[in-house]
Amino acid sequence: VASVRDLAASNGSPMVAAVHDLGFLAEIPRAGTISLVDGDGTFVVGEHVLIEGSDFGKLPTVLLGGRPARVMARTRSGGIVTQLPTGVSTGDIEVEVSHLEGRGAQKIAVHRYGLVTQWDANRGYVFDVGPQDASLRAGVLEVQSPRYVRFAADGAIAYVVSGGTKDSLSVVSMTAAGGPRVEHHARLACRSVVALAVAERAPLAAVVGEAELQLISLLDARHPAPYRPFPLPLDLAKAGVVAADLYPGGKILALLVAEGNLLVAIDVSRPGEPVVLSTTELMPGERLPLVRDLRFSADGETLWVVSGDSALSSAAGKQPTRITAVTM
């Protein structure tokens, strides 16, 4: 890795000679060497890549499958280190480098992996998800009693909460050489986990147990660092949390509570000291516990809540499925 000011200016149109996959680089140095040990010739969404060639100049524009990609570092030979964005198409895409003198491009084949867990078999299954269908990859991931799965915002890491006698958070590298693999386990203080959430634009995760909340720093995505657990208010714990999601910027945690069909907002901007902000009745007058799941919109302005039949409500007759939009 070299400083941009030490690179030569372009003498003509860029030429892309080769593209190499690098796996997931937890840290890119400002100067020095980058490890290539996780390169296996397979390009996966979220993976870091090295683009080599000539006449890239000092300030090139990079498009991966037509999507803008950030230039994360430059190498001494003028190469570009970037990352495959989560929204990139699978299959053959163009890696394009351009500036005022012209453009150069080369095609690569991109894969997108999905992860499905089977809690009673202690297994995770990896699917190669294409534009029209998905195929099961050979081999399985060994994870003890996997309960919930969430991906990091860039798609390079998946987090799996394991339940049982020792609740833990497993870190799965989706871009590892040879295919996804479990790389790390972090012990959790939460017991009987009921929800897992990961912020889209902030290095923060939340694990919700039956009686406590534990926030987790993801500044080092491969080595999550749990904060001390926060006991949920007694009435909230008794009412039963069924789902959770984090505001994309990581400042608000939304909890969905079965009894009373409640939405509870918690300020987690100071992860060591969460504060309950508000409680909202989503279905006033409804006695049955109908709320099931929730997600923030991409801009964080709206919270989408789905409600309908559950094991607790089915005895009272069929209920319609609803989607409720909550303006934050």
Side-chain angles (χ1 to χ4, degrees):
V1 175
S3 172
V4 173
R5 63 174 175 266
D6 295 330
L7 301 178
S10 64
N11 291 318
S13 181
M15 190 275 291
V16 178
V19 185
H20 307 283
D21 63 308
L22 304 175
F24 175 70
L25 302 174
E27 183 178 1
I28 299 176
R30 299 180 72 175
T33 58
I34 288 178
S35 171
L36 304 180
V37 295
D38 262 348
D40 60 357
T42 300
F43 296 91
V44 181
V45 171
E47 186 166 20
H48 290 96
V49 296
L50 170 63
I51 307 170
E52 292 187 316
S54 59
D55 287 317
F56 289 167
K58 291 181 178 290
L59 295 173
T61 296
V62 178
L63 297 178
L64 301 178
R67 290 181 173 267
R70 184 163 65 96
V71 176
M72 307 176 79
R74 299 295 301 275
T75 65
R76 196 172 296 168
S77 61
I80 298 169
V81 177
T82 184
Q83 187 176 23
L84 286 166
T86 54
V88 71
S89 300
T90 54
D92 289 343
I93 68 164
E94 269 199 348
V95 176
E96 178 186 314
V97 179
S98 64
H99 50 62
L100 292 176
E101 299 292 327
R103 65 180 290 273
Q106 187 174 117
K107 285 191 175 182
I108 62 171
V110 175
H111 297 261
R112 182 187 306 279
Y113 291 152
L115 183 59
V116 176
T117 59
Q118 185 181 358
W119 70 269
D120 58 348
N122 302 326
R123 288 181 173 182
Y125 301 92
V126 178
F127 287 82
D128 194 336
V129 183
Q132 304 296 332
D133 54 14
S135 58
L136 180 65
R137 282 179 55 90
V140 297
L141 301 175
E142 299 294 332
V143 183
Q144 186 69 31
S145 302
R147 295 283 180 172
Y148 300 95
V149 178
R150 289 290 182 270
F151 279 83
D154 61 9
I157 300 289
Y159 300 101
V160 182
V161 165
S162 298
T165 56
K166 296 180 180 179
D167 291 298
S168 65
L169 185 72
S170 298
V171 179
V172 181
S173 174
M174 302 302 294
T175 64
R181 65 170 179 256
V182 179
E183 289 199 342
H184 182 70
H185 300 278
R187 286 290 303 275
L188 298 174
C190 287
R191 300 303 300 272
S192 302
V193 173
V194 296
L196 168 65
V198 177
E200 287 188 12
R201 298 193 298 271
L204 186 69
V207 177
V208 185
E210 288 186 341
E212 62 278 309
L213 158 69
Q214 190 163 28
L215 296 166
I216 301 172
S217 170
L218 302 179
L219 285 172
D220 181 349
R222 278 178 162 165
H223 299 90
Y227 292 91
R228 61 181 177 83
F230 168 72
L232 295 174
L234 188 58
D235 57 342
L236 181 59
K238 286 184 176 180
V241 176
V242 295
D245 198 25
L246 276 164
Y247 179 80
K251 294 184 178 182
I252 301 292
L253 174 68
L255 300 181
L256 205 55
V257 180
E259 188 175 326
N261 299 301
L262 303 176
L263 173 65
V264 178
I266 299 178
D267 182 349
V268 293
S269 57
R270 298 174 64 185
E273 300 176 4
V275 177
V276 177
L277 292 177
S278 64
T279 301
T280 305
E281 289 188 39
L282 295 173
M283 308 174 74
E286 179 59 70
R287 295 183 179 181
L288 295 173
L290 299 178
V291 291
R292 303 300 301 275
D293 208 350
L294 79 169
R295 285 292 183 275
F296 276 99
S297 61
D299 60 7
E301 296 299 318
T302 305
L303 191 64
W304 299 96
V305 180
V306 64
S307 57
D309 277 328
S310 69
L312 298 175
S313 69
S314 57
K318 291 185 177 181
Q319 301 294 326
T321 299
R322 297 183 179 94
I323 292 180
T324 304
V326 181
T327 301
M328 296 304 293

